Amino acid sequence: SIDCGSSESYSDDYSIGWVGDDLYIQHGESVELQSSKPIYQPMATLRVFTDRKKNCYNIDSEKGSKVLVRAYFFYGNYDGKSSPPKFDLHFDGNHWITVETSADQLVSYEAIYVTKTDTISVCVAQTFPNMFPFISAIEVRDLDSKMYGYSDSNRALMLRRRVAYGTEVIVRSTDDFYDRIWVPAVKGDDFTVLTSDETFIEVSLDDSPPRALFQNAFATDNTSTSIQLGTNLPTTKVPVYVNIYYSEASVLDSTQKRSLQLLVDGKINSKPFIPVYGTAGEITLYNLTANSDTTFSLAASPDSTLPPLINALEVFTVSDELTDGTNSDDVEGLASLQDEFNVLKDWGGDPCLPSPYSWDWINCTSGSTPRVTALYLGSFGLSGFLPDFSSMTSLEIIDLHNNSLIGSIPEFLGTLPNLKQMNLAGNDLSGTIPSSISKNKKLKLTVTDNPNLCVSGKSCKTASVDTSGSGGSSSSGGRKKSKLPVILGTTIPIFVLVWVIGGVCAVLHHKRKSEAIAAGNV
């Protein structure tokens, strides 16, 4: 559970542990709501985003796991404008819904689906002028793989309604292991609340509804009155997925029988089913389209002596097929750039999807699995060496001008098969330009204002030659030059000169000695 806009960790009234969002996102502005009325703590802060096409939270998950994701939005007039905004909500590169916030009511959305990567992304995107997206909280729960088993693993279930009949309080984490939120249904005059005589209800259903749901139920007053199920479906027809939960509240005698059947638009849609005392039962509707005009009702079967009852209800719409996301090779290359340059790390969610909400500094192709065709990272504050993003083979444009890039131009840039333009001007690149780049006639290359870069027509600095020890330097032909002529040419004249000087000194010494002897004889 992530409290957006907060930096605190705490437990709420439901014993749910919350953490601040500073480990998930560094962009946007944190806002603390000011209100004279009590506010549920996770809704007391929010994070608002005033730039970028979309802003995303990335949450670690396990690929192929079934998850429940909830997003909360509480406006609370945080900006003093009394104008609740509208904006889009995305998950994992898929459009979720257009969020319509309320002036004073909490708005939340929930999706259940199977993840396709090891990261869950929840994003908000600005879709209307001067309406800045915000988010109050995000919750992610792992579900058992058997839950909601009649749904297509390539589609998501979007919650429209989840209610518990006969309860007076919200049922969630302390009773529901998977922390689904079951809201108490409003009792009408035609209903009677039944309380189960059994204190421990056996629940062995794959969807694992909490036992607390089966302690109470709604029933009509007579067998001729059916239970009309509120669905909160949209006005347009969409695929739906409906779970109805039931359990007999009392031990029936031999003269009593409670038998139910489900009707859709007045037509019987199921075989009769009989609630069992002390045991949870469930009926699921799927492969069906419906809208707000479609009626769903539980009625007593013709042979039933008791009226219909219901304990709980879940209503979902079924999404379009979920995207596999941007091409994995491009995702890998973009991840290399983000790992190297801190300024890029705060860009999350799917790079290209949903269209047109790609990252601001890339261009993408259309289609279900888009490719990245351009990097626009000029004047982005990049500093350091260029990492290897050779997997991005659909790149046509690379703009990296006016940064602080150092080192040589990587060889792999010359192997990108579709590259047409590359601007590396205004950096501190050095060395020579790879021939695969300089000789590419189809590539428009700009490398000005790189003072240490060796370009055509400019003398290139070469590395100093090591002449120490006995090793020799290599000539352009690859042959070693001998130092022997130099040594001989130097040592032979010196030897002759020393020999001549020595001879002269010996003659002079002999002459002086002879003169001294002669003088002594006198």
Short mmCIF file of all heavy atoms in Angstrom, two decimals, residues 197 301 356 473:
data_model
loop_
_atom_site.label_atom_id
_atom_site.label_comp_id
_atom_site.label_asym_id
_atom_site.label_seq_id
_atom_site.Cartn_x
_atom_site.Cartn_y
_atom_site.Cartn_z
N ASP A 197 -27.33 -19.16 11.49
CA ASP A 197 -27.25 -19.84 12.78
C ASP A 197 -25.89 -20.52 12.95
O ASP A 197 -25.54 -20.89 14.07
CB ASP A 197 -28.36 -20.90 12.88
CG ASP A 197 -29.75 -20.28 12.86
OD1 ASP A 197 -29.87 -19.11 13.25
OD2 ASP A 197 -30.70 -20.97 12.43
N SER A 301 -37.31 -20.57 -7.51
CA SER A 301 -37.76 -21.55 -8.50
C SER A 301 -39.22 -21.89 -8.24
O SER A 301 -39.73 -21.69 -7.12
CB SER A 301 -36.91 -22.82 -8.39
OG SER A 301 -35.54 -22.52 -8.59
N PRO A 356 -1.44 7.95 -27.39
CA PRO A 356 -0.19 8.62 -27.77
C PRO A 356 0.68 9.00 -26.57
O PRO A 356 1.43 9.97 -26.65
CB PRO A 356 -0.72 9.88 -28.45
CG PRO A 356 -1.93 10.24 -27.64
CD PRO A 356 -2.53 8.94 -27.19
N SER A 473 59.27 0.07 -30.61
CA SER A 473 57.99 0.54 -31.13
C SER A 473 57.77 -0.04 -32.51
O SER A 473 58.71 -0.40 -33.21
CB SER A 473 57.98 2.07 -31.19
OG SER A 473 58.99 2.52 -32.07
#
